[in-house]
Amino acid sequence: MDAERIRANFESVQGRIAEAARRSGRSAESVRLVAVTKRSPTEWIRPLVACGARDLGENYPQELWRKAEAQADLGASVRWHLIGHLQSNKVKKTLPMVRLIHSVDSLKLLQVLDESATALGDPPGVCLQVNTSAESSKHGWTPERILDDAEMIAGCRAIPVVGLMTMAALGTTPETARASFIRLRELREALRQRTGLRLEELSMGMSNDFEAAIEEGATLVRVGSALFEGVES
């Protein structure tokens, strides 16, 4: 049955996370799995939550709205994450529905979020997306620009800036992806010094490279296809 396959996949991924954390000298609890449900039918979500998934990620705001509303009865037992590009005109509807936005890819968007967050009692956290692979198809700050913007980033007080996010280049192996993960970790240290922000989260690593990302310091891994492998749609 699909529910049984989802459970087996979930337990396998959790085991791999725990082992990678152990290799990096950390506990399994120091890494959160964000189960990415993009392009997955809504009916796959409840079996995933039944396995213990609490953090669910979507790429597109409209899809997140639809799935979050369909699963509204789950309440606080799940936390929705937006991991894809967010347009400014979708900020107000998205903010109350999520606990973390991984993909804040410009100072302009961060400032829009900061302004909108003033109306919320408990705004979600955000990670700043950095294009560490220098691919023209990817959104995000360049490593150089995010350091130049450090003072203005620190000036955004209403929205909690909790970390950084990146994606490795297309076609990389886990080993060749490491350079992007190491670069993000190094940027966090530099940005901490310039802003005074703690930046506790490093969102990096997907189905094909999350173990390498954990070994390089990831605290959030965004895994989708590995959770649904072999599940019939």
Side-chain angles (χ1 to χ4, degrees):
M1 292 178 61
D2 286 346
E4 292 173 357
R5 185 58 187 265
I6 288 171
R7 177 174 292 279
N9 290 344
F10 180 80
E11 290 176 353
S12 173
V13 168
Q14 289 284 51
R16 292 165 62 189
I17 287 172
E19 182 60 21
R22 185 195 63 76
R23 290 195 298 269
S24 65
R26 293 186 290 151
S27 69
E29 291 71 29
S30 68
V31 183
R32 269 195 292 164
L33 168 63
V34 178
V36 178
T37 58
K38 71 172 184 176
R39 294 195 294 270
S40 301
T42 302
E43 57 266 26
W44 290 1
I45 294 175
R46 288 180 186 271
L48 195 58
V49 173
C51 294
R54 292 294 175 264
D55 295 279
L56 305 177
E58 275 293 330
N59 271 49
Y60 303 105
Q62 296 98 317
E63 189 70 4
L64 186 148
W65 303 342
R66 183 178 69 83
K67 288 181 178 173
E69 288 166 356
Q71 313 295 325
D73 61 297
L74 294 174
S77 65
V78 298
R79 297 178 289 258
W80 285 97
H81 297 235
L82 182 69
I83 62 173
H85 180 62
L86 177 62
Q87 295 171 305
S88 296
N89 64 353
K90 295 180 175 66
V91 163
K92 287 188 177 180
K93 184 166 182 177
T94 302
L95 270 182
M97 292 186 170
V98 298
R99 290 317 305 152
L100 186 63
I101 299 172
H102 295 233
S103 47
V104 178
D105 54 19
S106 69
L107 181 62
K108 179 182 178 181
L109 177 58
L110 178 63
Q111 290 171 334
V112 170
L113 286 162
D114 192 56
E115 182 178 353
S116 296
T118 59
L120 299 177
D122 183 24
V126 300
C127 289
L128 309 180
Q129 182 174 347
V130 186
N131 184 357
T132 55
S133 64
E135 288 181 290
S136 59
S137 60
K138 282 189 169 63
H139 295 284
W141 271 272
T142 65
E144 297 75 23
R145 183 60 184 267
I146 199 167
L147 294 177
D148 290 342
D149 286 346
E151 184 176 348
M152 287 179 284
I153 289 168
C156 293
R157 302 290 187 181
I159 195 80
V161 180
V162 299
L164 303 180
M165 182 271 248
T166 199
M167 291 177 283
L170 288 172
T172 56
T173 67
E175 287 307 309
T176 57
R178 283 185 190 271
S180 286
F181 305 147
I182 292 168
R183 184 71 173 117
L184 194 72
R185 189 183 69 231
E186 293 172 344
L187 277 170
R188 175 175 68 174
E189 297 311 310
L191 203 59
R192 276 174 167 171
Q193 293 180 13
R194 296 194 186 196
T195 63
L197 296 170
R198 296 176 68 179
L199 302 175
E200 293 180 340
E201 305 287 4
L202 286 179
S203 172
M204 55 190 195
M206 298 188 290
S207 287
N208 65 321
D209 56 21
F210 69 85
E211 289 153 304
I214 291 169
E215 290 168 1
E216 299 302 340
T219 63
L220 294 157
V221 292
R222 310 179 304 273
V223 179
S225 59
L227 293 171
F228 300 114
E229 184 177 354
V231 179
E232 298 294 333
S233 59

